[in-house]
């Protein structure tokens, strides 16, 4: 006991002198290749407290496994590292590892281990009447988690005594009578979780929780409730999302990766079972079962490579969509484009044509002619502008897009509000407060292109004529109209876009269409579905569902229609890379300087 007290005093002294807890693992790729722990070395860890927590964790039993084995025998060492880090990091009453973030595949026993971790925290806790919460994404998962907790209590002779633990199944709540502390399992509900002040929280399947409206605000409020408790903690445990990460899940995952890589500091402990970069980017490598052990720390308990192989083959034989979904759940592969079985064929080539250097400024600098496509938005919809330029030397088509949405529309589109806010943070979308601001900003971009004499004198702006009146008025106010030549063209929609669709597909397939790898376009392209109509086909908003927006793709197709006409550039001062052009003499002779 004297040694333990001395260790705690030493740790407190060192921390008070400014020694920070570095929770990064910049060598994580080497660690995961060699099977080493993804939890960083912590020189200041209280090993006595850490081992006490592990001992309690190990004495719990799995209630739904034949023989009800002790976790000492059944649990993987990878999870004990989490238990050690969380409970051995309290220094002078303050927890230094406050937010473990665990990204593990399905069948990693995370529900059972998570329940055991929260029960361990309840038993170790020193704060009277403390409140612990385990938050599940659905009622069904909440029931499973509580049954695990109640089953562990029932399987332990010391815990199932009436004077030890009070179990209330109807409330999904247990009380440790010695301290009055409680552990309750709740399904994610903003109304229930707002205003709570817990001592510890675990959020299960954050990727599923993030699809709930205002999930980011709820997580922020939970964090706020923990501020008053210096030993408080918030644990995220989740698999990868079946769709491109969005909302609070994307925000927390990005933060975890940055801390892991040493790009930022924080009290979040990132334990992310992801493939090293070279494997993650190569489908042949991550599809190889010989590499799967890296991201499945719980192999043999009970998942095996053989079982995964059977599921893998079944998913692969079903469809590309199911193949990617399986990889996201069992290999923690992050999905870039949610490819559906009825997807637009151009989506197959979209990612490989991305180049993040193709910004709007770069496009205008590199191209000799630029056309625009507009898809007008209503009060609850997106307005989108697509810009396509023809590169001077290569004649490749370079693409950039932007979209606008009214703030009030986010309340009407709650299902996709987190995605729209992510796109706004990425700079691809602007959320406007006042009606007309979107039109003014859109037309300002077109006006800039026209000032730089990149907009053709004919067939310059392709528009969906529905809901475009105010845009046309603003363009005319700035001198861009059809008074001299036909610069603004109404583009037929529906089946009439077939030519543009086929043209864009061919340019994507041969690599002559290069886009800026924008999240906005990735999202819209992943939402696009093909609908067969007699001898034709079309991509429509109806076919893509009420909330799966494709506006930026539709504006792109409008621009493609005009660029396919091979427009002439409209520069009268500078020509592409040939110097100053002077018109002189009676015959307007051209002289190059």
């Amino acid at each position: 006991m004297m040694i333990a007290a001395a260790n705690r005093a030493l740790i407190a002294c060192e921390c008070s002198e400014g020694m920070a807890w570095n929770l990064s693992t910049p060598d994580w790729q080497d660690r995961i290749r060699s099977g080493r722990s993804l939890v960083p070395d912590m020189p200041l860890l209280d090993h006595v407290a850490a081992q006490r927590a592990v001992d309690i964790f190990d004495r719990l039993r799995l209630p739904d496994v034949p023989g009800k084995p002790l976790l000492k025998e059944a649990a993987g060492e990878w999870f004990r590292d989490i238990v050690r880090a969380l409970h051995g990091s309290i220094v002078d009453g303050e927890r230094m590892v406050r937010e473990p973030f665990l990204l593990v595949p399905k069948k990693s026993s995370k529900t059972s281990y998570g329940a055991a971790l929260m029960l361990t925290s309840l038993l170790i806790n020193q704060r009277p009447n403390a409140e612990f919460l385990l938050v599940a994404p659905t009622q069904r998962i909440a029931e499973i988690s509580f049954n695990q907790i109640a089953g562990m209590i029932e399987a332990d002779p010391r815990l199932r005594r009436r004077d030890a633990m009070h179990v209330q199944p109807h409330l999904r709540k247990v009380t440790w009578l010695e301290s009055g502390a409680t552990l309750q399992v709740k399904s994610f509900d903003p109304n229930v979780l707002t205003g709570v002040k817990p001592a510890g929280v675990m959020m299960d399947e954050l990727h599923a929780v993030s699809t709930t409206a205002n999930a980011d605000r709820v997580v922020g409020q939970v964090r706020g409730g923990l501020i008053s408790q210096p030993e408080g903690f918030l644990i995220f445990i989740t698999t990868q999302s079946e769709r491109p990460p969005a909302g609070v899940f994307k925000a927390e995952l990005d933060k975890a990766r940055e801390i892991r890589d040493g790009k930022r500091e924080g009290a979040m402990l990132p334990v992310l079972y992801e493939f090293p970069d070279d494997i993650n980017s190569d489908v042949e490598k991550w599809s190889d079962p010989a590499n799967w052990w890296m991201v499945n720390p719980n192999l043999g308990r009970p998942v095996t490579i053989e079982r995964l192989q059977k599921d893998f083959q079944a998913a692969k034989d079903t469809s590309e969509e199911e193949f990617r979904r399986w990889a996201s759940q069992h290999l923690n592969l992050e999905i870039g484009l949610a490819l559906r079985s009825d997807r637009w064929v151009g989506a197959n080539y979209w990612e490989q044509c991305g180049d993040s250097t193709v910004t709007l400024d770069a496009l205008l600098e590199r191209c000799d002619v630029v056309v625009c496509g507009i898809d007008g938005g209503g009060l609850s919809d997106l307005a989108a502008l697509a810009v396509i330029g023809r590169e001077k030397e290569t004649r490749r088509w370079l693409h950039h897009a932007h979209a606008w949405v009214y703030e009030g529309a986010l309340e009407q589109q709650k299902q996709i509000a987190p995605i729209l806010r992510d796109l706004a943070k990425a700079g691809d979308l602007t959320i406007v407060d006042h009606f007309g601001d979107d039109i003014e900003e859109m037309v300002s971009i077109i006006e800039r292109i026209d000032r730089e004499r990149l907009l053709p004198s004919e067939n310059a702006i392709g528009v969906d004529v529905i809901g475009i009146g105010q845009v046309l008025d603003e363009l005319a106010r700035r001198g861009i109209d059809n008074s001299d030549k036909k610069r603004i063209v109404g583009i037929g929609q529906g089946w009439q876009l077939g030519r543009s669709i086929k043209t864009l597909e061919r340019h994507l397939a041969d690599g002559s269409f290069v886009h800026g790898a924008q999240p906005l376009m990735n999202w819209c392209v992943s939402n696009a579905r093909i609908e067969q109509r007699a001898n034709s086909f079309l991509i429509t908003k109806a076919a893509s569902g009420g909330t799966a927006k494709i506006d930026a793709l539709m504006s792109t197709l409008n621009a493609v229609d005009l660029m396919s006409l091979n427009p002439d550039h409209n520069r009268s001062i500078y020509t592409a890379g040939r110097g100053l052009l002077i018109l002189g003499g009676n015959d307007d002779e051209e002289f190059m300087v």
Side-chain angles (χ1 to χ4, degrees):
M1 295 295 291
M2 292 179 62
I3 295 175
N7 286 340
R8 293 190 184 95
L10 176 61
I11 293 171
C13 178
E14 289 176 333
C15 286
S16 67
E17 293 175 357
M19 293 188 67
W21 285 60
N22 184 355
L23 301 181
S24 69
T25 49
D27 63 339
W28 70 271
Q29 300 194 53
D30 292 331
R31 285 173 176 257
I32 205 164
R33 288 182 195 276
S34 60
R36 289 184 291 151
S37 173
L38 297 184
V39 175
D41 300 329
M42 299 180 189
L44 304 181
L45 194 72
D46 184 342
H47 294 285
V48 174
Q51 190 56 47
R52 177 170 177 252
V54 170
D55 290 342
I56 293 175
F57 177 85
D58 281 348
R59 287 201 297 268
L60 298 174
R61 294 180 177 273
L62 289 179
D64 57 348
V65 175
K68 297 183 180 179
L70 293 169
L71 283 173
K72 182 178 182 179
E73 305 163 357
E77 191 63 25
W78 68 277
F79 200 86
R80 288 190 187 84
D81 290 339
I82 310 298
V83 177
R84 291 188 185 95
L86 181 66
H87 295 99
S89 63
I90 297 180
V91 178
D92 200 21
E94 182 174 356
R95 195 182 303 271
M96 309 304 289
V97 178
R98 291 179 66 86
E99 295 190 5
F101 187 104
L102 281 65
L103 182 70
V104 291
K106 279 190 173 184
K107 306 304 179 183
S108 294
S109 300
K110 64 182 186 304
T111 299
S112 297
Y113 293 173
L117 175 57
M118 293 304 291
L119 187 52
T120 298
S121 300
L122 176 70
L123 297 172
I124 286 178
N125 163 70
Q126 298 296 313
R127 180 182 290 271
N129 302 314
E131 180 183 4
F132 294 88
L133 295 176
L134 197 163
V135 181
T138 64
Q139 290 278 359
R140 175 59 182 155
I141 296 178
E143 291 173 3
I144 293 172
S145 296
F146 178 76
N147 289 339
Q148 288 293 102
I149 294 171
M152 290 175 185
I153 293 172
E154 180 63 27
D156 191 308
R158 294 160 298 178
L159 296 180
R160 68 170 177 254
R161 298 198 320 262
R162 290 186 177 181
D163 62 344
M165 198 76 73
H166 180 44
V167 181
Q168 297 172 279
H170 64 293
L171 297 176
R172 292 201 292 265
K173 181 179 180 179
V174 298
T175 304
W176 179 230
L177 298 177
E178 182 178 302
S179 64
T182 62
L183 169 58
Q184 188 167 13
V185 182
K186 296 183 178 182
S187 55
F188 189 87
D189 184 340
N191 297 323
V192 173
L193 296 175
T194 300
V196 297
K197 294 184 177 181
V201 180
M202 172 179 284
M203 285 197 174
D204 192 12
E205 297 294 17
L206 181 64
H207 78 276
V209 165
S210 68
T211 61
T212 305
N214 298 318
D216 56 338
R217 297 179 184 177
V218 175
V219 172
Q221 289 174 342
V222 170
R223 277 200 175 103
L226 289 165
I227 290 177
S228 61
Q229 311 206 36
E231 81 282 9
F233 63 82
L234 171 60
I235 303 173
F236 299 108
I237 184 166
T238 183
T239 57
Q240 184 55 265
S241 175
E242 296 183 6
R243 298 179 177 86
V248 68
F249 173 64
K250 182 181 187 301
E252 299 299 335
L253 179 59
D254 288 347
K255 179 167 70 172
R257 286 171 173 162
E258 289 177 357
I259 291 175
R260 176 195 64 186
D261 297 342
K263 296 179 180 178
R264 65 184 290 180
E265 296 181 350
M268 176 178 281
L269 173 64
V271 182
L272 313 176
Y273 281 91
E274 301 180 300
F275 284 121
D277 293 342
D278 64 309
I279 297 177
N280 186 70
S281 60
D282 189 331
V283 65
E284 294 297 328
K285 290 182 179 179
W286 63 251
S287 296
D288 185 352
N291 292 321
W292 293 353
W293 65 271
M294 295 184 199
V295 294
N296 281 277
N298 224 47
L299 279 178
R301 302 182 180 93
V303 67
T304 64
I305 293 295
E306 290 73 20
R307 291 176 187 169
L308 288 175
Q309 281 182 285
K310 292 179 181 178
D311 288 347
F312 170 80
Q313 192 59 50
K316 193 173 183 179
D317 292 342
T318 301
S319 66
E320 176 74 13
E321 179 183 358
E322 178 60 17
F323 174 53
R324 290 200 173 205
R325 188 208 64 78
W326 185 93
S328 73
Q329 297 300 285
H330 295 278
L331 302 179
N332 268 349
L333 263 293
E334 181 175 320
I335 291 179
L337 290 177
L339 298 183
R340 299 180 172 88
S341 57
D342 56 352
R343 65 189 177 277
W344 169 49
V345 68
N348 297 340
Y349 308 99
W350 187 264
E351 289 178 298
Q352 69 190 40
C353 292
D355 180 353
S356 59
T357 67
V358 182
T359 62
L360 178 61
D361 289 341
L363 183 151
L364 299 184
E365 176 66 26
R366 292 162 58 180
C367 294
D368 63 0
V369 66
V370 171
V371 296
C372 298
I374 297 176
D375 189 73
L379 298 184
S380 61
D381 208 351
L382 305 186
L385 170 69
V387 178
I388 296 179
R390 187 177 61 211
E391 197 169 27
K392 298 171 187 174
E393 301 298 331
T394 68
R395 297 185 66 83
R396 295 185 305 175
W397 294 2
L398 306 187
H399 171 273
H400 178 83
H402 197 85
W404 291 262
V405 67
Y406 289 111
E407 177 70 43
L410 300 184
E411 287 300 312
Q412 301 178 44
Q413 305 278 5
K414 291 182 178 180
Q415 185 176 343
I416 60 171
I419 297 175
L420 297 179
R421 295 194 185 279
D422 286 343
L423 295 176
K425 291 177 183 176
D428 292 350
L429 178 140
T430 300
I431 301 173
V432 297
D433 296 321
H434 304 291
F435 300 130
D437 285 355
D438 56 341
I439 294 174
E440 184 174 343
E441 291 183 18
M442 178 189 295
V443 173
S444 293
I445 294 174
I446 299 173
E447 184 182 34
R448 173 193 172 186
I449 298 170
D450 195 41
R451 282 201 311 267
E452 297 191 24
R453 297 186 177 278
L454 290 170
L455 210 61
S457 57
E458 291 184 277
N459 301 322
I461 305 168
V463 302
D464 176 356
V465 296
I466 298 177
I468 204 69
Q470 289 179 297
V471 176
L472 297 179
D473 291 342
E474 183 63 21
L475 283 169
R477 192 180 72 81
R478 303 197 192 193
I480 304 173
D481 54 29
N482 289 346
S483 56
D484 295 325
K485 295 184 178 181
K486 189 177 181 181
R487 305 191 78 191
I488 304 173
V489 182
I491 307 295
Q493 302 296 295
W495 64 268
Q496 297 176 80
L497 275 174
R499 179 180 67 178
S500 297
I501 294 170
K502 285 296 184 184
T503 298
L504 181 53
E505 288 172 0
R506 294 185 67 87
H507 280 277
L508 285 167
D510 66 18
S512 59
F513 182 94
V514 182
H515 59 83
Q518 295 176 268
L520 169 67
M521 289 304 303
N522 288 347
W523 181 53
C524 289
V525 169
S526 71
N527 289 335
R529 302 184 188 182
I530 290 293
E531 183 176 318
Q532 200 70 35
R533 293 283 181 86
N535 294 327
S536 184
F537 62 91
L538 45 82
I539 298 175
T540 68
K541 295 180 181 181
S544 293
T547 59
K549 302 302 182 184
I550 59 171
D551 306 78
L553 176 60
M554 300 306 287
S555 64
T556 297
L557 292 172
N558 290 339
V560 165
D561 192 85
L562 298 186
M563 184 55 79
S564 64
L565 299 177
N566 193 27
D568 290 330
H569 64 76
N570 192 31
R571 290 187 172 185
S572 59
I573 299 178
Y574 293 101
T575 57
R578 293 186 295 172
L580 181 64
L581 175 65
I582 301 177
L583 300 180
N586 294 331
D587 297 324
D588 284 341
E589 297 141 334
E590 296 183 10
F591 297 92
M592 300 307 304
V593 180

